[in-house]
Amino acid sequence: MSQEKLAKEIVELVGGEKNVESLVHCATRLRFVLKDDAKADKAKLEKTEGIIAVKENGGQFQVVVGNKVPEVYSAIGQISNILDDSTDKEKPRKAAKGLGGIIDIISSIFAPLLGVMAGAGILKGLLLIASNIGWLETTETTYTILYAAADSLFYFLPLLLAVTTARKFQGNMFVAMTIAGALIYPSIVALKSEGTPTDFFGIPVILMNYSSTVIPIILAVIVMSKLEKFFNKTLHDSVKNFVTPLFLLVIMVPLTLLVFGPFGVYVGNGIAAGLVAAFGFSPLLAGAVMGASWQLLVIFGIHWGLIPVFINNVAVYGQDGVKPAATASIFAQTGAAFGVMLKTKNKKLKTLAGSSTLTALFGITEPAIYGVTLPLKRPFIAGVIGGAVGGAIIGQAGTLAFASGAPGLLTLPIFYGPGGQGFPGLILGIVVSFVVSAVLTYIMGFKDPVEEEIKTESTTSDQQSVRVTNASDEIVFSPIEGTIVELSEVPDPAFASGAMGKGIAIEPTVGRVVAPFDGTVTVAFKKKHALAVVSDTGAEILVHVGVDTVKLDGQHFVSHIKEGDRVQAGDLLLEFDIAQIKAAGYHTVTPIIVTNSANYEEVIPQATGQVSSQELLLKLSSGNVQEQK
C-alpha cells in the first residue's frame, strides 16, 4: 500500500480531519490528540495493511506504523490541513488530567525532536570515538565543524522546545522562540560568565546557564500561551497583532529570568540528582530495575517522564548514567523475538519475528513487542527477565551516555566516553540480555499458533507413536444449512491442503451451527468462531465458521456451549450473523473437518449442491488404519 493511500485511510479511520486536534510523530508512532476518541475506528485501523498496532495512552491515540512513520506523517500533511498551524481549529477537546495529561504534554513536546536528536547523538558519539583513538584531534577545524553539527541541537535546545511547546499549547511559536533566544542571548550569557551582579528594576536576578536546558523554556511558553489568549480576547482587533507580542516579550523574558529559569533548572537538577543517587547507592539493583521495566514504561507511555531527565543530565553534566541500563531492555525484547523465530513452526509468525528482530536491533521495538512478544506473553516475560540481567551488568559497569539518542546498534557510539570506560560493560550487558531472553523464550515456550490460530488435540498428536486400531463406521450430519463447497476451494491453505484433516466445506445460508452427532464438546473457542465435537464412538469434527474470523474477536457470534457439554444431534451450538461478517470483509465459507481422519480408511462426502441442517453430510469408512498417537 502506498504511503498516500495509508495516510488517507488513517485520517478517515481516526474520525476525519475535523476530529484531529493535533498530530506529532516519534520513531514509530503517529501520536494523535483527538477531539472525540469514540469517532475513531480502532478495530478497522488494527486490520489495515501497514499498521502494526493501535494504542491509547497518555491522552493520545497512537497508531504504530514502524520505520516509515516520517513518510506517512508527511503524506498526511499533503492530503490534509492537520499539520497546518494556521488552520482554524474547532473547539478542542478537554485536556487529559493527572498522569495521562503530563505524559501527553511531554510526549507532544519531545516526540518531534527524537529523530534529529538521535542523528546528532550518533554523530557526537562517533566524534568522541574518533578523538579518543586519535583519528581526529579536537583542535582540528574538521572536528570543530562536525562538532558544531552534532552539538548545535543541544546548545539551542530551548529554541526547538519553544516551537514544539507553542504548538502543543497553541501559542505563537515566533514569540516563544524569541523568548528562548533571549535566554541564550550573548549579552545575557556574558553577564553569567563574568559574574556581573544583575537586577531587573531593583529585583535581583539569579542568572543560570540556559543553553541545553529543558524545563525553563517549557514553563515559560506554557504561561505565555495562557497570557496570549487573554490579551487576544482583551485587546482590540486593530492592535492585538503587534501589541500582544509586545506585552508577552516585556512580561515573559524578565519573568523567566527571575522565576521560571532558576526554578526549572533547580527542579531538573534535583530529579537528575535523585536518579543518579539511586545508581550510586546500588548500581546493580538500579540497573536491573531499569532494564526490566523500560519496555513496560514504553507500553504505557510513562517513559516520556524520564526522557527530559536523560536530556537534562547530558546537557548539565555532559553525561547520563541512567539511560544506559534501558538499552538492555531494548536488546532483551529483540532476543525474545529472535527466540520466537527459532522455535515457532508457524511460517507467518516466523517471518514476522525475523523481521521484527532486525528492526528491534536498531532500536525500533514496537513491531517485536506488539506483533510478537506481548501477544504470546511468555516471550515478553522472558524479555523482562533478560533486561533485568543485562541492566544489572550495565549498571554495575558504570556505563554512561554522552549524547542523546534511542538505544540501538547505530547509537552505541553515544555510550563511548573518554578511554572507553564502561563501554565493555554495555556490550556485555546487551549481549547477555539478548541471549538470556532468546534462550528463556525457547525453553519456556509459548502457545504456537497454526495458520488459523487453531490448535486442537488432534493437531498436537504428530511426532507421537503409531499403533493400529479398528475404527467404527461413522456418519456425520450437516451442522449448517447452505451450499456445498469443495474443501480445496476454501481460500485458506491450512484447510484447502488437507493439513488439518479431510472433510468438506459449506457456504452457509443460515447462521446456525448444530451438533453433527451425539457426543461431547471438546473445544469451544473463546472468540466463538470455531468449535470441536467428538462423537460417542470417537469421530472428531471441527467446525470453523469463515476464514480469518478469529480476528473479529467474537463479534457477530453467539455461543451456546462450553467445553465438556454433552450434546445430541441437532442441538444448537452456535449462531452467527452472516451479513455482518461479510460486511466486515471476511469470507463465511465454513470448513467441516474430520481432525482424526487418519483413523478412517475413507472420508466420503454424501451431499452435493444445497444441503439442509441435519442432512447426511459425510460417511467415515472403517478399516484397519494407522492412528497417530
Side-chain angles (χ1 to χ4, degrees):
M1 181 184 296
S2 69
Q3 310 303 356
E4 291 75 14
K5 184 176 180 182
L6 179 58
K8 186 176 180 181
E9 290 196 24
I10 290 173
V11 171
E12 180 182 342
L13 292 174
V14 298
E17 182 177 339
K18 292 184 178 180
N19 193 40
V20 179
E21 181 180 332
S22 65
L23 169 64
V24 295
H25 76 83
C26 57
T28 59
R29 309 182 190 197
L30 296 167
R31 296 174 175 271
F32 290 91
V33 175
L34 303 180
K35 297 183 178 122
D36 184 357
D37 287 345
K39 291 182 179 179
D41 194 331
K42 184 177 179 181
K44 284 189 177 180
L45 275 167
E46 290 176 327
K47 296 173 188 172
T48 301
E49 180 185 350
I51 294 177
I52 298 169
V54 179
K55 302 292 174 184
E56 295 179 72
N57 285 326
Q60 294 181 337
F61 191 87
Q62 303 172 10
V63 181
V64 184
V65 296
N67 295 334
K68 60 191 173 188
V69 67
E71 291 82 4
V72 179
Y73 179 82
S74 177
I76 290 176
Q78 293 174 6
I79 66 168
S80 72
N81 293 317
I82 290 174
L83 306 185
D84 184 358
D85 290 311
S86 64
T87 304
D88 290 333
K89 303 279 187 179
E90 294 182 2
K91 184 178 179 181
R93 74 172 189 177
K94 189 175 180 180
K97 295 182 179 180
L99 180 60
I102 294 172
I103 291 170
D104 173 37
I105 291 170
I106 295 175
S107 61
S108 297
I109 291 171
F110 285 95
L113 303 179
L114 293 184
V116 65
M117 195 172 286
I122 294 170
L123 179 55
K124 209 169 187 180
L126 291 173
L127 287 173
L128 284 170
I129 294 174
S131 63
N132 284 335
I133 63 178
W135 287 355
L136 274 178
E137 294 294 333
T138 57
T139 54
E140 294 182 50
T141 54
T142 299
Y143 180 91
T144 301
I145 292 171
L146 290 176
Y147 192 82
D151 195 52
S152 64
L153 177 142
F154 302 100
Y155 185 87
F156 295 106
L157 187 58
L159 288 166
L160 300 175
L161 292 176
V163 173
T164 56
T165 307
R167 287 191 63 177
K168 172 61 181 175
F169 288 91
Q170 300 178 342
N172 187 315
M173 69 174 63
F174 300 106
V175 175
M177 290 178 67
T178 304
I179 295 170
L183 299 181
I184 54 177
Y185 193 71
S187 60
I188 299 295
V189 174
L191 289 175
K192 165 64 176 174
S193 60
E194 295 169 4
T196 304
T198 306
D199 68 84
F200 183 74
F201 289 117
I203 303 173
V205 176
I206 302 174
L207 290 175
M208 313 293 291
N209 182 7
Y210 294 110
S211 175
S212 304
T213 55
V214 171
I215 298 178
I217 191 60
I218 292 175
L219 294 175
V221 175
I222 290 173
V223 174
M224 182 214 80
S225 66
K226 305 297 182 183
L227 286 176
E228 181 183 0
K229 292 178 175 63
F230 169 77
F231 287 132
N232 282 338
K233 288 180 180 179
T234 305
L235 296 172
H236 193 273
D237 288 345
S238 61
V239 298
K240 70 179 183 181
N241 285 342
F242 52 88
V243 174
T244 294
L246 169 64
F247 285 171
L248 293 177
L249 292 174
V250 170
I251 294 172
M252 290 309 306
V253 172
L255 187 60
T256 303
L257 291 172
L258 287 165
V259 180
F260 299 137
F263 175 78
V265 170
Y266 289 142
V267 169
N269 291 349
I271 295 173
L275 288 173
V276 170
F279 273 79
F281 173 74
S282 177
L284 187 145
L285 179 59
V289 171
M290 180 63 72
S293 63
W294 182 251
Q295 288 301 321
L296 289 168
L297 299 179
V298 170
I299 290 173
F300 293 103
I302 302 174
H303 68 301
W304 285 107
L306 290 175
I307 287 176
V309 177
F310 299 159
I311 296 172
N312 185 79
N313 282 346
V314 172
V316 175
Y317 304 111
Q319 60 191 36
D320 171 58
V322 181
K323 181 178 182 176
T327 308
S329 184
I330 302 292
F331 284 89
Q333 290 299 325
T334 307
F338 183 71
V340 171
M341 184 192 74
L342 294 179
K343 191 173 183 68
T344 183
K345 295 180 181 179
N346 181 295
K347 291 181 180 179
K348 290 182 180 178
L349 181 57
K350 187 178 289 290
T351 300
L352 175 61
S355 62
S356 298
T357 298
L358 182 62
T359 303
L361 283 171
F362 295 97
I364 309 301
T365 56
E366 278 86 350
I369 292 174
Y370 295 124
V372 182
T373 65
L374 194 58
L376 295 175
K377 298 181 179 64
R378 288 181 184 175
F380 185 81
I381 295 171
V384 171
I385 296 171
V389 176
I393 294 172
I394 293 171
Q396 189 63 35
T399 306
L400 300 172
F402 297 90
S404 297
L409 283 181
L410 290 178
T411 55
L412 291 182
I414 71 175
F415 302 102
Y416 189 95
Q421 182 179 359
F423 191 71
L426 175 81
I427 300 302
L428 177 62
I430 62 177
V431 169
V432 169
S433 64
F434 182 95
V435 173
V436 168
S437 300
V439 171
L440 281 178
T441 296
Y442 200 91
I443 294 174
M444 292 166 60
F446 47 86
K447 187 176 181 181
D448 193 12
V450 295
E451 297 298 329
E452 262 296 313
E453 296 185 16
I454 293 174
K455 189 173 184 180
T456 62
E457 293 177 5
S458 62
T459 62
T460 60
S461 62
D462 51 345
Q463 298 182 350
Q464 296 182 6
S465 60
V466 179
R467 66 182 176 84
V468 177
T469 183
N470 285 317
S472 302
D473 287 340
E474 288 273 3
I475 56 173
V476 178
F477 297 105
S478 178
I480 293 178
E481 181 175 337
T483 304
I484 296 293
V485 177
E486 292 291 334
L487 194 61
S488 60
E489 296 177 10
V490 174
D492 185 283
F495 294 112
S497 66
M500 299 293 296
K502 298 178 182 179
I504 203 164
I506 297 176
E507 181 63 56
T509 54
V510 178
R512 289 165 53 90
V513 177
V514 300
F517 40 53
D518 296 346
T520 304
V521 177
T522 56
V523 179
F525 288 90
K526 291 181 180 179
K527 297 186 179 181
K528 306 174 186 177
H529 64 295
L531 56 90
V533 185
V534 60
S535 72
D536 292 339
T537 51
E540 299 171 1
I541 299 295
L542 170 70
V543 181
H544 189 284
V545 180
V547 175
D548 282 334
T549 48
V550 63
K551 297 178 182 178
L552 288 171
D553 201 26
Q555 293 183 68
H556 317 310
F557 292 94
V558 178
S559 177
H560 297 281
I561 53 170
K562 62 181 183 297
E563 292 182 7
D565 282 355
R566 282 284 304 163
V567 294
Q568 302 294 318
D571 285 352
L572 179 61
L573 309 181
L574 180 70
E575 292 181 286
F576 56 96
D577 192 320
I578 298 174
Q580 290 292 336
I581 294 173
K582 288 183 175 180
Y586 296 92
H587 292 285
T588 55
V589 61
T590 300
I592 299 162
I593 306 297
V594 183
T595 54
N596 64 336
S597 53
N599 292 6
Y600 299 93
E601 190 172 23
E602 289 184 283
V603 176
I604 308 168
Q606 299 294 302
T608 57
Q610 292 296 119
V611 62
S612 300
S613 176
Q614 284 298 283
E615 184 178 337
L616 183 61
L617 183 68
L618 297 171
K619 179 180 178 182
L620 313 182
S621 177
S622 63
N624 290 337
V625 296
Q626 290 186 332
E627 178 188 0
Q628 303 292 326
K629 293 297 285 185

